[in-house]
Amino acid sequence: MKSAVILFPGINRENDAIAALTQATGSTPELVWHGETDLPKADIIMVPGGFSYGDYLRAGAMAAKSPVMRAVAERAKQGVTILGVCNGFQILTEAGLLPGALMRNASLKFICKRAHLKIENEVTRFTNQYDEGQVVEYPVAHHDGNYFADSETLDRLEGEGRVVLRYCDADGTVDPATNLNGSQRNIAGILNEEGNVLGMMPHPENAIDPLHGGTDGCGLFKSMVEAAS
């Protein structure tokens, strides 16, 4: 199975993405520079976290205009599995591959901690190794993770099962007290309409080894491999 990781100036989680994909697929993904206009053959493409272009202008806004993103959009149309994590989520929304926007955290503070997340849809190509309602724990590290969309978009996402992850507590309770960054409806991860593009703020690639403090992220990468096999 082949995979690729996109590298933008300022990104700092590409090696974490490579490690997670290597563990899950059994082969090392190809690292693709943002200035490329084409992509190698890949079953999975990951847009990793970091701070592309130092988050100047708006997080993900400059990276979304990179030449490689036209190729990523084309692969998305072809049905290739695409995962955007943290800054990758911001880039995918700025590129128009996912609806909504990521705004400054409601606290106006950078948040770096482990977070509980509820699996809201277990029948996606990203979550088929989890159970419905299962609570997992991934790290988060972001300053602009406050998901926003208009009410019509939010209702459509909910109605079409495209809200995949929500912030919750260890018991799975989803309410304002467990909403760590102010995201509307506690949303932590969403799908595109076709179900092959997932954007999420938490970092599953940093929860794949006991040395990370947990391995809950393995399920997400195994899900992608299962779906692509």
Side-chain angles (χ1 to χ4, degrees):
M1 181 169 295
K2 297 182 181 298
S3 60
V5 174
I6 311 298
L7 181 62
F8 301 92
I11 287 292
N12 61 13
R13 299 292 185 111
E14 73 275 14
N15 288 321
D16 299 336
I18 289 170
L21 286 169
T22 300
Q23 181 189 80
T25 67
S27 60
T28 304
E30 188 163 338
L31 192 61
V32 182
W33 184 236
H34 73 110
E36 298 291 339
T37 56
D38 197 6
L39 286 165
K41 179 177 173 55
D43 304 293
I44 300 169
I45 297 170
M46 186 165 173
V47 185
F51 301 91
S52 58
Y53 295 93
D55 282 353
Y56 286 119
L57 296 183
R58 190 174 58 246
M62 295 177 70
K65 303 300 182 186
S66 294
V68 75
M69 288 307 297
R70 291 193 287 273
V72 172
E74 186 60 33
R75 294 296 176 88
K77 289 180 183 177
Q78 295 170 4
V80 173
T81 298
I82 297 173
L83 171 65
V85 171
C86 199
N87 192 221
F89 186 11
Q90 296 159 346
I91 293 168
L92 292 178
T93 57
E94 291 288 343
L97 295 180
L98 290 169
L102 281 307
M103 305 191 307
R104 190 63 43 92
N105 296 337
S107 65
L108 303 182
K109 296 179 179 178
F110 187 89
I111 300 171
C112 184
K113 60 185 293 186
R114 300 186 68 82
H116 291 104
L117 302 152
K118 189 172 186 178
I119 304 294
E120 296 285 10
N121 184 348
E122 82 289 3
V123 293
T124 79
R125 66 175 73 184
F126 302 91
T127 53
N128 60 65
Q129 299 297 303
Y130 296 114
D131 297 323
E132 182 181 6
Q134 183 175 343
V135 176
V136 298
E137 188 175 316
Y138 302 158
V140 298
H142 58 249
H143 200 265
D144 298 273
N146 181 353
Y147 181 73
F148 176 85
D150 59 63
S151 296
E152 181 180 348
T153 299
L154 292 169
D155 290 343
R156 188 167 66 251
L157 290 171
E158 302 269 15
E160 295 174 354
R162 292 162 57 190
V163 176
V164 178
L165 297 160
R166 287 187 217 270
Y167 301 107
C168 66
D169 65 14
D171 297 323
T173 300
V174 175
D175 62 22
T178 63
N179 189 354
L180 62 84
N181 57 21
S183 289
Q184 289 186 303
R185 305 187 188 184
N186 285 50
I187 289 174
I190 59 167
L191 287 172
N192 68 337
E193 188 171 357
E194 293 75 19
N196 64 307
V197 179
L198 173 67
M200 57 189 295
M201 288 310 297
H203 288 273
E205 76 278 21
N206 294 138
I208 62 165
D209 188 292
L211 292 175
H212 292 161
T215 59
D216 285 357
C218 293
L220 189 139
F221 290 95
K222 289 179 180 176
S223 294
M224 290 193 292
V225 171
E226 174 70 19
S229 299

